[in-house]
Amino acid sequence: MLQGKEIILGVTGGIAAYKAVELLRLLTKAGAGVHVIMTASATEFVTPLTFQTLSMNPVSTSLFNMISEREIGHISLADRADLFIIAPATANVIGKLANGIADDMLTTTVMATKAPVLVAPAMNVNMYQNPIYRENEAKLKRHGYRFVEPAKGMLACGWEGEGKLQEPQVIFEEAVAALTRQDLAGEHVLITAGPTREELDPVRFISNHSSGKMGYAIARAARRRGATVTLVTGPTCLAEPCGVETIQVVSAEEMRQAVMAAFPASTMIIKAAAVSDYRPVARAMAKIKKTAGTLTLELEKNPDILSELGQIKGEKVLIGFAAETDDLMGNAAKKLAAKNVDMIVANDIGAEGAGFNVDTNIVKLLFRDGSVEDVPLMGKQELADLLLDRAVKLKS
Ligand code: PMT
């Protein structure tokens, strides 16, 4: 995802400096080359050796280190960078940057770079609310610096409030977004994911094996590409994607209501959820007791949300999935026509590495003009981007 990208990670002196280690790990795991610059006070919290070992690059700590100046040179580092992240960023470093002070390796390199700069502040709540700090932040924003707003919570100083460094995963997502073409800016993508549950009684339900991985991957990709994203999800074990409005539902009827409420504002809708086609006619109020004979359940049809959207879609791009165990193309083609969608993602869920609860998928894309695209085995995150590429094309 970040292969070939050069990132400078600036670490300043705050107790949250330890979280920069995890951020570094996420960045390198995604394929980025990371060069760490630490301020003198940052080295009081975490040793340069930790960053050096994990980044496999020398860590710069001093402006006047002649060896590293010869080997890397802060100007060449500033030139090469695709992105500059400062995490944690203290009020002090933000104040210096806002006022053009470049008196150490970190501030000098930031001043010299043309790369986008992502600042993740961490400080005491009173410092964060101080009007001088607010002016400095506003000034940097005016100059194009991006900020990852701090979280609220218990701060190291014992105070409670805003000022806590965001989680490394959140900063990582913002970094990926900063390096991603924003071709979905202005779009509002509505995505469904996961299974639905239809309750039989207080302890049992009808459901399926959907993990939500496919839909969540689409939500993450759309957000990274600049879209406003609403994710309507059935019960899963996945963490809510950063920066995405996530609406948790349980049954198909609840999913229908949430989708219909989000539909008017949306411009693209992608329905990856595995919705139960049937639900019990009546939910028992008490646990159904075991009896001697067989048990017959009476089921009624759930609303077909995708079909309903197909009736009212207008100019919106509408994409459905088809999970099939047999006659993949025949069944998918029928769904394309019957549900009035722009594209069907046909999923042969019997194939190895495809379908439910795996990290990969194999699909065929069916379009209204009769064309079909074969998509070989690939990671769901990669497939998510490919599906969004097709959605963009369908829009134009
Ligand atoms: O969640 P994962 O573990 O990552 O697995 C991914 C997946 C296999 C669930 C996904 O790739 C997939 O194929 N999703 C569609 C599953 C499905 O229910 O397919 P279907 O053929 O039954 O439904 C066709 C389409 O109509 C789907 O877009 C579905 O969301 C929609 N539908 C179905 C029934 C219903 N009552 N309302 C609907 O909107």
Side-chain angles (χ1 to χ4, degrees):
M1 186 194 319
L2 296 179
Q3 252 85 22
K5 300 291 182 195
E6 296 278 349
I7 296 175
I8 303 177
L9 174 59
V11 184
T12 72
I15 189 71
Y18 75 94
K19 287 191 182 174
V21 177
E22 173 64 5
L23 176 61
L24 166 62
R25 208 188 55 81
L26 291 171
L27 294 168
T28 51
K29 209 171 143 206
V34 185
H35 304 268
V36 177
I37 303 178
M38 301 177 77
T39 60
S41 16
T43 63
E44 300 287 328
F45 292 91
V46 183
T47 67
L49 185 61
T50 306
F51 290 107
Q52 187 152 311
T53 310
L54 291 172
S55 69
M56 293 193 289
N57 280 315
V59 172
S60 313
T61 51
S62 161
L63 192 54
F64 303 108
N65 181 337
M66 296 311 286
I67 299 169
S68 65
E69 266 307 288
R70 254 203 18 240
E71 277 172 1
I72 357 171
H74 65 274
I75 298 295
S76 89
L77 201 54
D79 277 348
R80 278 208 321 270
D82 296 293
L83 178 68
F84 206 126
I85 306 172
I86 310 175
T90 54
N92 178 50
V93 83
I94 290 166
K96 281 188 193 176
L97 293 174
N99 292 286
I101 298 169
D103 64 351
D104 60 10
M105 183 67 170
L106 176 57
T107 46
T108 309
T109 317
V110 179
M111 292 283 278
T113 194
K114 289 215 161 102
V117 182
L118 185 63
V119 183
M123 63 195 75
N124 162 276
V125 59
N126 292 338
M127 289 169 86
Y128 186 66
Q129 287 167 356
N130 186 307
I132 298 171
Y133 170 78
R134 302 244 54 91
E135 267 176 40
N136 288 337
E137 180 180 313
K139 185 172 174 188
L140 288 177
K141 281 182 175 166
R142 277 200 308 280
H143 286 284
Y145 285 60
R146 298 158 185 246
F147 277 74
V148 185
E149 302 305 333
K152 276 189 187 155
M154 180 63 85
L155 304 171
C157 53
W159 284 74
E160 180 113 21
E162 284 170 304
K164 205 173 147 71
L165 182 72
Q166 268 296 357
E167 288 309 312
Q169 187 67 46
V170 176
I171 304 170
F172 171 78
E173 278 299 327
E174 292 302 325
V176 175
L179 289 166
T180 304
R181 194 157 54 98
Q182 300 292 287
D183 62 343
L184 290 178
E187 300 291 346
H188 189 145
V189 185
L190 168 60
I191 297 150
T192 67
T196 62
R197 284 181 186 172
E198 311 301 326
E199 292 196 351
L200 296 165
D201 67 14
V203 294
R204 304 179 182 95
F205 53 79
I206 299 171
S207 191
N208 57 66
H209 294 294
S210 172
S211 62
K213 288 181 178 184
M214 189 67 249
Y216 278 55
I218 302 169
R220 254 191 314 272
R223 152 84 176 139
R224 286 173 183 167
R225 291 166 68 158
T228 301
V229 181
T230 302
L231 173 67
V232 178
T233 175
T236 75
C237 299
L238 304 177
E240 293 187 1
C242 304
V244 166
E245 183 199 15
T246 304
I247 302 166
Q248 303 278 351
V249 298
V250 177
S251 66
E253 184 50 46
E254 282 175 26
M255 183 170 278
R256 180 189 167 276
Q257 282 174 23
V259 166
M260 289 305 168
F263 177 76
S266 64
T267 55
M268 295 176 173
I269 305 100
I270 306 180
K271 290 214 73 265
V275 187
S276 302
D277 285 322
Y278 290 91
R279 65 184 171 211
V281 168
R283 175 191 182 276
M285 296 309 286
K287 185 180 169 193
I288 299 169
K289 294 285 176 289
K290 187 162 60 179
T291 52
T294 56
L295 174 72
T296 305
L297 293 174
E298 199 184 347
L299 303 178
E300 64 185 359
K301 264 197 175 150
N302 259 327
D304 189 320
I305 310 165
L306 186 58
S307 291
E308 252 183 84
L309 297 180
Q311 307 289 315
I312 53 171
K313 74 182 256 341
E315 295 301 304
K316 298 177 198 280
V317 173
L318 182 60
I319 296 175
F321 274 68
E324 307 294 344
T325 51
D326 58 287
D327 191 12
L328 178 69
M329 295 301 286
N331 286 325
K334 273 187 212 152
K335 283 176 185 168
L336 177 78
K339 301 194 183 209
N340 191 36
V341 296
D342 298 299
M343 180 175 100
I344 278 280
V345 184
N347 219 174
D348 178 357
I349 51 173
E352 177 91 24
F356 293 108
N357 205 12
V358 284
D359 292 324
T360 53
N361 214 345
I362 309 166
V363 299
K364 290 183 193 301
L365 307 181
L366 284 74
F367 298 90
R368 277 168 186 269
D369 63 3
S371 59
V372 177
E373 183 180 348
D374 260 308
V375 184
L377 179 84
M378 63 173 67
K380 282 182 176 168
Q381 199 59 64
E382 195 184 343
L383 175 60
D385 266 313
L386 187 145
L387 298 179
L388 290 169
D389 289 346
R390 301 301 173 270
V392 168
K393 226 168 163 187
L394 286 165
K395 188 94 200 284
S396 56

